[in-house]
């Protein structure tokens, strides 16, 4: 059966989307990000894997539903770490990154790319999650109050742009045409996007589809306030001193 990866950048709704797929019981179990550094190190601590290949066997089993379909959720910033682990795991003979991944996860042939049309809103959401350490609604509230920081939001906006470019380049280099989903569409009509995914994965569509998951939307009025403030600050800060020969000649008519 098919295996797939949800290729994501932080704050694109990939966890909510993964929970919707997992709830069907036939589309794999992609909620956990297996190559997140904290997830991976904690799993190694609990299970004492002797090799990285053993860990990937474990990931394959845990990410699969009884019908054999498996799904994983991967952030762009996890890819370099994953490839580095694979390069150390065994000797290779010029295989590409996708070939190395598929060696350990055979059947991983389909890719779903989640993005967010509003990249500034994405950066704001990322900044709030970073400051509060609440990356999903089920994470404990540690009582950390977010504080607007233009430099942080701006840096994360640049990360969003760079990470999206990284995925696009990787897809092109490996001849991959992913199914493309957006946060906005997933939130507006989750049923439609899940059914599109089933068609893409060549899975039989579920007779019943529950849209109730343990993952809830975290966006509040604070997100919009920060977004508006960032745009104001960006416009004000997007000015620099030009050298004299770049300036208009005031005496020229």
């Amino acid at each position: 059966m098919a295996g797939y990866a949800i290729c994501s950048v932080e704050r694109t709704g990939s966890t909510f989307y993964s929970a919707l797929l997992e709830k069907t019981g036939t589309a794999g179990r992609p909620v956990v990000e297996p190559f997140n550094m904290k997830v991976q190190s904690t799993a190694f601590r609990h299970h004492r894997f002797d090799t990285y290949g053993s860990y990937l066997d474990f990931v394959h089993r845990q990410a699969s539903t009884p019908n054999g379909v498996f799904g994983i959720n991967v952030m762009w910033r996890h890819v370099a770490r994953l490839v580095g682990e694979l390069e150390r795991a065994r000797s290779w003979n010029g295989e590409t990154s996708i070939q190395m991944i598929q060696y350990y996860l055979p059947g991983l042939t389909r890719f779903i790319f989640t993005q967010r049309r509003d990249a500034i809103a994405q950066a704001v959401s990322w900044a709030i999650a970073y400051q509060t350490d609440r990356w999903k609604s089920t994470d404990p509230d540690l009582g950390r109050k977010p504080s607007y920081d233009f430099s942080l939001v701006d840096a994360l906006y640049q990360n969003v742009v760079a990470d999206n470019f990284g995925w696009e380049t990787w897809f092109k280099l490996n001849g991959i045409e992913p199914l493309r989903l957006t946060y906005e569409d997933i939130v507006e009509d989750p049923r439609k996007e899940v059914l599109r995914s089933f068609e893409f994965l060549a899975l039989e569509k579920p007779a019943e589809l529950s849209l109730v998951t343990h993952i809830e939307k975290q966006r509040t009025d604070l997100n919009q306030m920060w977004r508006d403030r960032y745009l104001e600050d960006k416009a004000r800060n997007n000015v620099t001193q030009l050298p004299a020969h770049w300036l208009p000649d005031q005496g020229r008519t």
Side-chain angles (χ1 to χ4, degrees), residues 73-86:
N73 191 356
V74 185
M75 300 293 162
W76 173 249
R77 59 195 56 250
H78 299 166
V79 173
R81 183 184 309 116
L82 170 60
V83 172
E85 295 280 10
L86 294 178

Side-chain angles (χ1 to χ4, degrees), residues 205-219:
K205 294 180 180 179
E208 296 183 4
L209 180 59
S210 172
L211 301 179
V212 178
T213 76
H214 63 291
I215 303 296
E216 298 177 356
K217 186 171 68 173
Q218 293 177 275
R219 191 176 189 276

Side-chain angles (χ1 to χ4, degrees), residues 7 68 97 144 169 176 193 212:
C7 304
S97 60
R144 299 175 182 172
T169 302
I176 295 169
E193 298 310 290
V212 178

Side-chain angles (χ1 to χ4, degrees), residues 32-208:
V32 176
E33 299 169 16
F35 309 119
N36 174 292
M37 184 170 60
K38 289 184 179 179
V39 171
Q40 182 173 299
S41 62
T42 302
F44 264 84
R45 191 160 56 248
H46 281 292
H47 297 281
R48 306 291 183 183
F49 302 109
D50 55 351
T51 66
Y52 198 70
S54 298
Y55 175 61
L56 293 179
D57 288 341
F58 172 81
V59 167
H60 189 282
R61 292 194 303 273
Q62 299 306 312
S64 299
T65 38
N67 61 345
V69 176
F70 72 93
I72 55 175
N73 191 356
V74 185
M75 300 293 162
W76 173 249
R77 59 195 56 250
H78 299 166
V79 173
R81 183 184 309 116
L82 170 60
V83 172
E85 295 280 10
L86 294 178
E87 288 176 339
R88 292 187 290 272
R90 67 184 296 273
S91 297
W92 301 96
N93 188 29
E95 285 85 352
T96 63
S97 60
I98 186 61
Q99 289 171 335
M100 289 191 288
I101 295 169
Q102 289 172 333
Y103 176 87
Y104 284 103
L105 296 174
L108 181 61
T109 58
R110 298 174 193 257
F111 300 85
I112 300 171
F113 187 26
T114 62
Q115 293 178 280
R116 195 161 177 163
R117 294 193 190 100
D118 190 338
I120 296 174
Q122 183 177 351
V124 165
S125 177
W126 194 344
I128 293 173
Y130 175 79
Q131 290 190 349
T132 61
D133 203 22
R134 290 197 75 197
W135 298 93
K136 55 185 181 296
S137 61
T138 54
D139 288 339
D141 186 349
L142 302 177
R144 299 175 182 172
K145 300 301 181 184
S147 176
Y148 173 78
D149 182 337
F150 171 81
S151 296
L152 175 61
V153 176
D154 195 50
L156 292 174
Y157 173 74
Q158 302 304 324
N159 282 356
V160 168
V161 174
D163 288 5
N164 280 328
F165 181 76
W167 275 124
E168 293 285 13
T169 302
W170 192 77
F171 293 144
K172 186 174 182 179
L173 288 173
N174 290 288
I176 295 169
E177 183 52 51
L179 173 66
R180 296 172 182 273
L181 306 179
T182 67
Y183 166 87
E184 290 82 358
D185 289 342
I186 293 169
V187 170
E188 180 180 351
D189 194 345
R191 179 182 300 274
K192 177 182 176 182
E193 298 310 290
V194 168
L195 293 178
R196 281 184 64 208
S197 304
F198 267 71
E199 183 176 354
F200 176 74
L201 296 171
L203 297 175
E204 183 177 350
K205 294 180 180 179
E208 296 183 4

